[in-house]
Amino acid sequence: MPKPRNIFKKILIWRYKNISERQFIYVLSVFVGFLAGIGTLILKNMTSFFQTILEGKFIKDIHHSLYFIFPIIGLALVYYIKKRFIKKEIGHGISTTLHAISKRSGIIERYKIYASLITAPITVGFGGSVGLQGPAVSTGAALGSTVSQLFHMNQKTRMLLIGCATAGAMSSMFKAPVAAIIFAIEIFSLDLAFASLVPLLLASVSAVITSYFFFEKDALLGFKLIDAFQIKDIFYYVLLGFVTGLASVYFSKIYFSITNFFKRIKKPIHKFIIGGIAIGVMLYLIPPLYGEGYGLINNLLEGNALAALKDIPYNVDFENVWIVIGFLLLITLFKAIAMTTTFAAGGVGGIFIPTLVMGSALGNVSAKIINQLGGNVSESNFTLIGMTGLMAGVLHAPLTAIFLIAEITGGYNLFVPLMLVAAISFAVTKYFISNSIYTVELAERGELITHNKDKNVLMMMKINKLIETNFKAVHPEMLLGDMLKKAVSNSNRNIFPVTEKDKQFLGIVLLDDIRPIMFDTEMYDKVTVETFMRSAPSIIQHTDSVEKVMQKFKESGVWNLPVIKNGKYLGFISKSKLLSAYRSKLIEVTS
């Protein structure tokens, strides 16, 4: 019986002979879209399974008293699974995918295919206040990367397939294939060329068909637009844009603050205990923060605020609209806190859907306040457009925000206010916060993929592959005669690194500096290397980005610079090799 490896080898040979590269990419994009769709469906249904169990009849009567304990149990299970079985960092799906694209040539570890599939449904199913979109992207991206490696695709194709998987995950999650393509392009800065657009289309359609095939009527947001846009409300929409922009700044600042606080706690078990108790208390006091929050969004869209707040146990009069406004504001304020605390405690989930929850509550509150003060605006429309504003601001993805809300709700008649609010919210947020939650750490390290091809090429290059080690090192106490015999005569270079015996870098000696006396034999035993040693014009640290290396060459005006690691000499990088490698990578990426 033939081995699977031999069969696969024959398939590859047949493919090379019979299918062109472009056609094969189309086939793989459909396959990756299907896999991403399946992964997303597994996430959704496993989460639903846990939620159904925890909301069963035998605990229904005491369900509120368990809001405190459920998320702690879920986080404990996730902590145990990560520590006992996965034993590796899972990370936030979109952030880790962006890092893999920028610094790992699109290579994503295979354990990320199943890591989020296992842990995210437990986190969300047990009440963690996070979403599933990030884990869906993480799973899909890992599948796309694995498929590309399996079929020996190049780096550019690998990144395209990761984009296809991302579009597939989004398309399957929301049944919004157009918004899914825009999301992949906007978040991952993919080139919008025909060659890359067709695979994205195929993957997105493949994923959404997969979703419809298994769950035809399932929709996370099933609302259809009822109230049309009226030009008289344009001022209120401008106001909503500023409100959602400021709320986006609040959301991001809270996320950064809580994340930085928990970073100071070194042991994961301590993070779990502190975060678990904190999230348990929040969910007990404000039950609508429980889980993803789609029920809240759908009830607000339908104008049923009482149903949205039905789990709140306090004996208050919800017929009083100002009390409803107060509780919706509490949800708006605490959703970001609950989400970040869930992450900090070790939970696995996404940021995307919490922004929708917060945006829907804020938009609904804005409409209620306007109407109470004498205005007359559509609460459902404001709820929708509030989601757009938060998404545009928090995620720095205004186009995705516009098309997602329009597509999943049929709200194309709201394009004017959608565009207006998204633009204002994004501009306000961008003024205060230059990078989104997804990208801030990558941007600080200079590793963020953008639509700037030149910068992306430099970012994808690896400094280790540029280092040349055929330079002869000399020591400061070495005599001139020994240097000529052991280094100069055996080297075709005109520069010599000066190091201690333990390779600690001290400086350089140029051949031009010793040329006037190199044939004076009387000086061979009288002069040491230290006499001619000079400081290097600039030094490259092994952690420097290639973009920074290029800048150092520009500032120093030399052709060779030494590379050191922890003060020890590694080799040199030459400007000629750097430019040659840059040209090769540019051709690879853009061809």
Side-chain angles (χ1 to χ4, degrees), residues 238-308:
V238 170
L239 198 61
L240 181 62
F242 281 103
V243 170
T244 53
L246 293 174
S248 299
V249 174
Y250 163 79
F251 189 106
S252 302
K253 293 286 188 182
I254 284 291
Y255 176 85
F256 299 143
S257 298
I258 296 176
T259 300
N260 290 333
F261 170 77
F262 275 90
K263 280 181 179 178
R264 294 196 290 269
I265 303 172
K266 300 302 180 184
K267 293 186 178 181
I269 186 66
H270 293 164
K271 293 181 181 180
F272 157 67
I273 293 171
I274 296 171
I277 293 173
I279 189 66
V281 170
M282 278 186 277
L283 296 190
Y284 181 81
L285 296 175
I286 312 175
L289 297 175
Y290 188 92
E292 287 186 284
Y294 282 118
L296 176 84
I297 297 174
N298 284 319
N299 283 321
L300 291 179
L301 287 173
E302 292 168 4
N304 194 348
L306 295 181

Side-chain angles (χ1 to χ4, degrees), residues 26-76:
Y26 292 166
V27 172
L28 289 184
S29 64
V30 172
F31 182 55
V32 165
F34 169 76
L35 292 178
I38 292 294
T40 303
L41 290 173
I42 292 172
L43 274 171
K44 289 165 64 176
N45 287 283
M46 285 183 64
T47 303
S48 178
F49 170 75
F50 288 121
Q51 289 172 337
T52 301
I53 291 177
L54 298 180
E55 294 172 1
K57 292 182 180 179
F58 69 99
I59 60 170
K60 191 172 183 179
D61 294 336
I62 57 171
H63 193 265
H64 174 257
S65 62
L66 294 174
Y67 272 123
F68 175 78
I69 196 66
F70 280 161
I72 297 177
I73 294 173
L75 290 171

Side-chain angles (χ1 to χ4, degrees), residues 141-212:
L143 284 166
S145 177
T146 300
V147 168
S148 69
Q149 293 174 64
L150 190 64
F151 288 97
H152 308 292
M153 308 307 289
N154 60 29
Q155 179 181 338
K156 183 181 179 183
T157 303
R158 184 159 55 246
M159 292 182 178
L160 177 58
L161 290 179
I162 289 173
C164 288
T166 300
M170 182 84 168
S171 180
S172 180
M173 178 71 72
F174 293 105
K175 292 185 177 176
V178 175
I181 296 170
I182 294 170
F183 177 76
I185 293 169
E186 197 167 27
I187 296 296
F188 292 103
S189 298
L190 295 175
D191 293 330
L192 186 56
F194 181 78
S196 58
L197 182 59
V198 174
L200 288 171
L201 283 166
L202 292 172
S204 186
V205 171
S206 172
V208 78
I209 289 174
T210 302
S211 183
Y212 274 114

Side-chain angles (χ1 to χ4, degrees), residues 70-82 86 88-93 115-132 134-135 255 259 262 268-269 271-277 279 338-351:
F70 280 161
I72 297 177
I73 294 173
L75 290 171
L77 289 172
V78 171
Y79 174 81
Y80 177 77
I81 291 169
K82 290 201 294 188
I86 298 176
K88 295 178 182 178
E89 182 62 32
I90 297 175
H92 296 314
S116 294
L117 280 179
I118 298 170
T119 54
I122 296 174
T123 301
V124 179
F126 278 78
S129 196
V130 291
L132 292 176
Y255 176 85
T259 300
F262 275 90
I269 186 66
K271 293 181 181 180
F272 157 67
I273 293 171
I274 296 171
I277 293 173
I279 189 66
M339 177 202 75
T340 312
T341 305
T342 302
F343 288 139
V348 178
I351 297 165

Side-chain angles (χ1 to χ4, degrees), residues 269-376:
I269 186 66
H270 293 164
K271 293 181 181 180
F272 157 67
I273 293 171
I274 296 171
I277 293 173
I279 189 66
V281 170
M282 278 186 277
L283 296 190
Y284 181 81
L285 296 175
I286 312 175
L289 297 175
Y290 188 92
E292 287 186 284
Y294 282 118
L296 176 84
I297 297 174
N298 284 319
N299 283 321
L300 291 179
L301 287 173
E302 292 168 4
N304 194 348
L306 295 181
L309 302 174
K310 64 181 174 60
D311 291 326
I312 290 178
Y314 312 112
N315 186 20
V316 293
D317 180 17
F318 282 123
E319 296 298 325
N320 185 329
V321 69
W322 289 107
I323 292 178
V324 172
I325 288 171
F327 276 103
L328 288 176
L329 281 174
L330 281 176
I331 294 170
T332 301
L333 291 171
F334 278 91
K335 185 63 180 180
I337 299 173
M339 177 202 75
T340 312
T341 305
T342 302
F343 288 139
V348 178
I351 297 165
F352 196 99
I353 296 170
T355 64
L356 297 182
V357 175
M358 183 173 170
S360 66
L362 184 59
N364 195 269
V365 162
S366 300
K368 280 181 165 59
I369 292 175
I370 291 169
N371 290 338
Q372 288 301 305
L373 296 177
N376 183 22

Side-chain angles (χ1 to χ4, degrees), residues 471-478 496-509 529 533 562-564 567-572:
F471 290 78
K472 296 295 182 180
V474 295
H475 308 303
E477 68 278 2
M478 182 182 285
F496 303 90
V498 182
T499 67
E500 295 283 13
K501 296 260 173 97
D502 62 354
K503 291 191 175 182
Q504 199 75 17
F505 182 78
L506 300 175
I508 60 172
V509 172
V529 166
M533 184 178 72
V563 183
I564 65 171
K568 294 188 176 182
Y569 167 75
L570 293 179
F572 275 79

Side-chain angles (χ1 to χ4, degrees), residues 309-538:
L309 302 174
K310 64 181 174 60
D311 291 326
I312 290 178
Y314 312 112
N315 186 20
V316 293
D317 180 17
F318 282 123
E319 296 298 325
N320 185 329
V321 69
W322 289 107
I323 292 178
V324 172
I325 288 171
F327 276 103
L328 288 176
L329 281 174
L330 281 176
I331 294 170
T332 301
L333 291 171
F334 278 91
K335 185 63 180 180
I337 299 173
M339 177 202 75
T340 312
T341 305
T342 302
F343 288 139
V348 178
I351 297 165
F352 196 99
I353 296 170
T355 64
L356 297 182
V357 175
M358 183 173 170
S360 66
L362 184 59
N364 195 269
V365 162
S366 300
K368 280 181 165 59
I369 292 175
I370 291 169
N371 290 338
Q372 288 301 305
L373 296 177
N376 183 22
V377 298
S378 168
E379 290 188 8
S380 61
N381 287 358
F382 266 65
T383 302
L384 276 177
I385 296 172
M387 290 191 281
T388 303
L390 259 292
M391 217 187 315
V394 173
L395 308 183
H396 286 212
L399 293 178
T400 299
I402 293 166
F403 281 91
L404 177 66
I405 298 304
E407 195 170 8
I408 62 180
T409 63
Y412 291 99
N413 290 331
L414 293 179
F415 254 126
V416 171
L418 284 171
M419 293 169 67
L420 183 64
V421 171
I424 294 172
S425 180
F426 176 68
V428 170
T429 310
K430 191 78 172 175
Y431 179 81
F432 292 100
I433 301 173
S434 57
N435 290 287
S436 72
I437 289 172
Y438 294 142
T439 62
V440 63
E441 291 186 3
L442 292 173
E444 287 174 354
R445 298 198 302 264
E447 298 174 357
L448 178 61
I449 288 284
T450 69
H451 285 287
N452 185 324
K453 290 182 182 179
D454 291 336
K455 187 174 181 180
N456 292 346
V457 169
L458 290 174
M459 198 183 309
M460 293 174 191
M461 294 168 63
K462 295 180 179 179
I463 195 170
N464 290 339
K465 294 185 177 180
L466 301 173
I467 298 175
E468 300 177 61
T469 57
N470 60 341
F471 290 78
K472 296 295 182 180
V474 295
H475 308 303
E477 68 278 2
M478 182 182 285
L479 293 170
L480 175 61
D482 291 335
M483 177 184 174
L484 293 173
K485 182 179 179 181
K486 297 177 180 178
V488 177
S489 63
N490 294 319
S491 175
N492 59 357
R493 299 286 190 169
N494 63 355
I495 185 170
F496 303 90
V498 182
T499 67
E500 295 283 13
K501 296 260 173 97
D502 62 354
K503 291 191 175 182
Q504 199 75 17
F505 182 78
L506 300 175
I508 60 172
V509 172
L510 299 178
L511 188 60
D512 288 345
D513 292 338
I514 64 172
R515 185 173 281 114
I517 62 168
M518 65 185 296
F519 298 108
D520 187 349
T521 56
E522 291 183 4
M523 302 296 291
Y524 286 5
D525 298 327
K526 296 179 181 179
V527 181
T528 62
V529 166
E530 191 172 12
T531 306
F532 303 96
M533 184 178 72
R534 62 166 69 182
S535 298
S538 186

